[in-house]
Amino acid sequence: MAPLLSITDLQVHFRTPRGVSRAVEGVSFDVNAGETLAIVGESGSGKSVTSMAVLRLLPTKTTRVSGSIRFEDRELLDLSEDEMRGIRGNAISMIFQEPMTALNPVLTIGSQIAEALMLHQGLGKRQALARGTEMLDLVGIPAAARRMSDYPHKLSGGMRQRVMIAMALACEPRLLIADEPTTALDVSIQAQILELMRSLKARTGAAVVIVTHDLGVVAEVADRVAVMYAGQKIEEASATQLFARPHHPYTSGLLRAMPRLGTSLHDPDWTLASIPGQVPSPFSRQEGCAFAPRCAKAKDVCRRHRPALRPAEDGHSHACHFPDNATGADHV
Amino acid sequence: MGDGEVLVAPALPDLFEDRGRRSALAAVLAHKAIVIGAAIVLVITLMAVCAPWLTPIDPTAIAPLERLKGPSLAHPFGTDMLGRDLFSRVLYGARISLFVGFVIAALSSIIGLVIGLVAGYWRRLDGIVMRLMDALMSIPGILLAIAFMAISGGSMGNVILAITIVEVPRVARLVRGTVLSVRRQAYVEAAVASGSRSLTILLSHILPNTIAPIIIQATYVCASAMLLESVLSFIGAGIPPSIPTWGNIMADGRSIWQLKPSMIFLPALFLSLTILAINLVGDGLRDLLDPRQAGNG
Amino acid sequence: MSDALLCVNDLKKRFVLGGGILGLGTTQEVDAVSGVSFTIAAGETLALVGESGCGKSTVGRCILRLETPTDGQVVLDGERIDDLSPETFRKLRKRIQVVFQDPFSSLNPRRKIRDILAEPLRNFGLVRTRAECDRKVAELLQIVGLSEDVAHRWPHEFSGGQRQRIGIARALASDPDLIVCDEAVSALDVSVKAQIVNLLKDIQKKTGTAFLFISHDLAIVENISHRVAVMYLGKLAEIAPREAILRRPRHPYTRALMSAVPIPDPAMRRTEPLLKGDVPSPIAPPSGCRFHTRCPFVEERCRTEVPELRPVAAGHLAACHLNDLADGENPLLSAPPVVA
C-alpha cells in the first residue's frame, strides 16, 4: 500500500536579514495510514518547519522549498493556493503549540468549529453546531453544549488544547499534524491530552505526525520516530527499536540526558548525562556530519564527509559512520 | 575501516544566493520609499537653503508695476498682486515651513520623551500625567492651536509653541507604551536584581528602546506640524503675513484665486510633496526599525 | 530554625486585577500566594515545584523584591528584609541573586557580554578599576564554562544554553548567598538542560551558594535538590527531603505530579490513574483543601476543613487530612510507590 504522506528530499531555506537559514536540508520520510510518526528534535532541528512545509504554511516571499511532498498521490508543492485551502483543515489538519494564538478571541468556540464544518463538509449551520457539540463531547469537555457559546479566553490552557483537537478532528482528516501539542501545558494536563490523542487515534484511524522535543511524549504516543538534527533526519525507527537500541550517538545522548524520576534513589552519586556543546547555527553549512563537533566518537571522516542515511531491512535507518548498537556492525 | 564503506550523502544545492548579513546602510538604500522620500526632502531643503543663490529677488520687495504677471524668465512663477516674485516667495516659504516642521519635531520628541519616560517608569505619576495628556489630546489639534494663538498673538515662536503643545501628548503616549512593555522584560528585572538604581535602569536599559519609535514618530510629527503651520497661517492665526510662508502665500491668493490660481496651487503642491516625502521616509523607517512590522526573519 | 540562611514566614501576595479608571469599576483580587513558610539552609537547594499559576514564581519574586509581599516576613540570616527601604534593599541584593527562565529576554540585546557582567560588579562596588573588572569578568566566564573572548560579543551571537550560562555568571558576580533559579532550565533543549543542571550543582559544590530552584519538572528537580516543596494554588502541599518525597509522598497532589512525569520508554505504561480536570482558578479557590476538586481520596471533611501543614515524619511536612489516619489506614502509605 502506498504511504499516505511521502516526503522526499525536502529542503527549506529562509532568507533573513542575518543571511540564509538552511532550516531543512534534504529530509525524506513516509507516513502510513493510521500510524503515529513522531518527529523529534531540539530547537533549530527543522522539525517544525518540516511540518509547516507539508501544509504550505511558510511565508512565500522569504522561503524556498524544494523536493517533493506527496499526499494521497497528489504533489502538494504543485497545488494552487485554492486547492491547498481545500486540503488544510479538511484532509490534513494541524494542532499548534499555543492554543490561544490559534483560536480567534472574538468568536465563540461553537462558531469556530462550525465554520470549518460548513466550509469543508458543506453542512448547514444547525447540523454543523450539532456536530461541533458532539466533537467537544468527544474530546472530554464537560457540558459541551454550554461551552459552544463560550469565548476562548474563558477556557483554561488544557481545555483550549482540547478545543483545538476537536476542531482539527471535526472534518475527519486522514492526517493530523500536531506541533508540540503539549509543550505549553502542565504535566498533569499534558498526560491527559496525550491520553486523549491516543484514544482518538484508535477511534478515528487518522494518521498522526507529532512534532516534539520531548522523548517522554514520543514514548507515550509514537509508533515510529524520526530524529532530526540541524535540518537533517539522522535516525528513524519504530519507537520500541529506537528506545531500546538507538544507533545514532545523538539519539543515544538525548536518551541518556532525559531525566527519569527515581534514578537518584538507586545511585546517590548520580549525575545527569549531557551532550557537550551547542546546536549548530542554521546560517552556516559545515562540512561533514553536523553532529561531529559534539560527538565523542567523531573521527576525521565524520568531519569531512556527511554520512548518508543507511536504510536497514528492519526499517531502522541511521546516518552515522560509527553507529551505536548496530547489529552486524560493519566497522567497530 | 576502509573508505569504501563510508556512505557519503550527496551535496545539497543552495536555494538562495547567500549574500550574508546586510549592512544597515545597505538595508536603508534597498528601501525604495526611504530613498525616494529622502531625495525629495533633500531637494526641497537644498532649494530652501540655497534660495538667495537660486533667485536674486527679495521675496518681500514690492513692485507695483509688475503686479499679477504670468510666468516669465525673470519671474518663473509670475508675481502676486503686489508684484512680489512668487518663485522667490515659495522658496523662502520653504525655509519657514521646513524650519517650523523640524524644530517642532525635535521639541515635541524631547519633551514627549521625558514625560513618557517619567509616566511609564514611576507609576505613581502615571495617572496624573497621562490624564493631562489625554485631556490635551481630546481637543482637536487645530482648535487647540488656534486657541493658543488667540491668547498669545501671532509670531513664529508662538506658532512653534502652539503646535508643540498639540504634538507632545502623542509622543508621550508612544514613549510611555514602550516603557511599559520594556520594563516587564526580564533583562530590566535582572538589572534591578543586579543592584542598579532606578535612574540608571531608565536611562541605560529603557531609554535606548524608545529611540527607534521616536524617530519614526518624529517624521509624522514633522509632516503634521508643517500642515498645521500652513493652516494657521492660511486662516491668519499663524505667522505674521509679512513673512512669506506657504500658508501666507495661499492666504494672499485666496481673494484672487480666479485671477491667479497658481498662487494657491503652487505652495499647496510644494506642501503636499514635502509632506508626502516625509511620510514616505517615516513609513520606510517603521518597516526597517519596528520588528513587529518587519517581514518574517 | 536559627541556622537557616533564609526564612520565609507566612508569606502572602495578593494581586488586584482590572483597576478601572481612577479606581472606579470592578476589581478582582487574586491570592497568588496565601501563607507560605519555609527555610533554606546555607549551601542547600530547595526546589519549589508546582504547576503554572500555583504561585511558585511569585514566592521567588517576593524574596527578590521584584514584587512587594502583601503580608508575612522574609528573614535573611536572622534579620527581616521584607520591610527594608528600597535603597537599603538595593545594597542587600548582592546577597540574593536570580537566574531567569527565558535566556533570550534576560540579556539586554544592546549590551555586550562584558557590560552585562560588569553591571553587578560596579553596582555593588566589587571592582575599582577597568582592568580589575575585565579580570573578574573573565573569571566569571570561565566558571560557567565559556571562553574569555566571549566578553566582547553580543547576546544574539549565542544559543539558549550559552545565554543561560551568561545569566548564571551575572548571578554569580556578587558572590551571593542565595540564587533564586526561576524555571532556569525549563526553556532549554534536553541536551543543554542537563549541562546547565550539572553546572549549577558544580557551582554549589565550589561556592556553597544556596539555591531556591523553582520548577514545574519533578524529574529535573530530583537531579538538583536537597529538599522539595510542592505548591498548589498558593499554598504548600508538602515539603520534605528529596528522598522522602520521592519514596513516600504524603500528599495526593505530589503523588499525582510524580506519576504524570512522562517515562521515556515505550515499554513502560503508567499505572496510576491520571489527575482529572484542570487547576481551579486562583480567583475563587475551592473551599477546604484546595486540592479537593481533583483529589482521588476526597472525603466530606476535605471540602470544608483546611488541612494544616503538619509534620508527618522527621523534616517531612504535609497538608493532607489523610495523614491524621493511623498508618495502616492511610492510603498514601499503603499504595505502591510511584517510583520503584
Side-chain angles (χ1 to χ4, degrees), chain A residues 43 156 188 220 262 264 272 275, chain C residues 51 189 195 198 222 270 278:
Chain A
S43 54
S156 66
S188 68
E220 299 243 353
S264 69
L272 210 48
I275 304 175
Chain C
E51 295 178 288
D189 282 318
Q195 290 176 11
N198 292 338
E222 179 194 342
R270 79 174 88 252
D278 280 323

Side-chain angles (χ1 to χ4, degrees), chain B residues 53-106:
Chain B
W53 294 279
L54 288 175
T55 167
I57 307 170
D58 180 349
T60 55
I62 298 168
L65 294 176
E66 302 281 317
R67 287 187 307 167
L68 296 174
K69 284 277 163 60
S72 66
L73 223 60
H75 305 291
F77 290 175
T79 58
D80 69 3
M81 66 284 193
L82 295 176
R84 295 175 295 196
D85 178 45
L86 257 187
F87 180 64
S88 108
R89 283 182 77 75
V90 167
L91 283 193
Y92 280 88
R95 291 182 146 194
I96 309 287
S97 286
L98 288 170
F99 177 76
V100 167
F102 289 144
V103 168
I104 292 172

Side-chain angles (χ1 to χ4, degrees), chain B residues 1 15 36 41 45 52 60 75-76 81-82 86 96 126 128 142 154 184 193 206 223-224 235 244 255 278 287 296:
Chain B
M1 187 199 76
L15 303 183
I36 294 172
V41 174
T45 311
T60 55
H75 305 291
M81 66 284 193
L82 295 176
L86 257 187
I96 309 287
D126 187 31
I128 306 163
I142 182 78
R184 274 198 290 268
I206 295 180
S224 122
I235 60 174
S255 50
I278 294 174
D287 287 351
N296 190 287

Side-chain angles (χ1 to χ4, degrees), chain B residues 217-241:
Chain B
Q217 184 71 14
T219 61
Y220 298 134
V221 168
C222 181
S224 122
M226 287 173 66
L227 186 64
L228 208 47
E229 178 272 318
S230 293
V231 173
L232 285 179
S233 298
F234 184 75
I235 60 174
I239 291 166

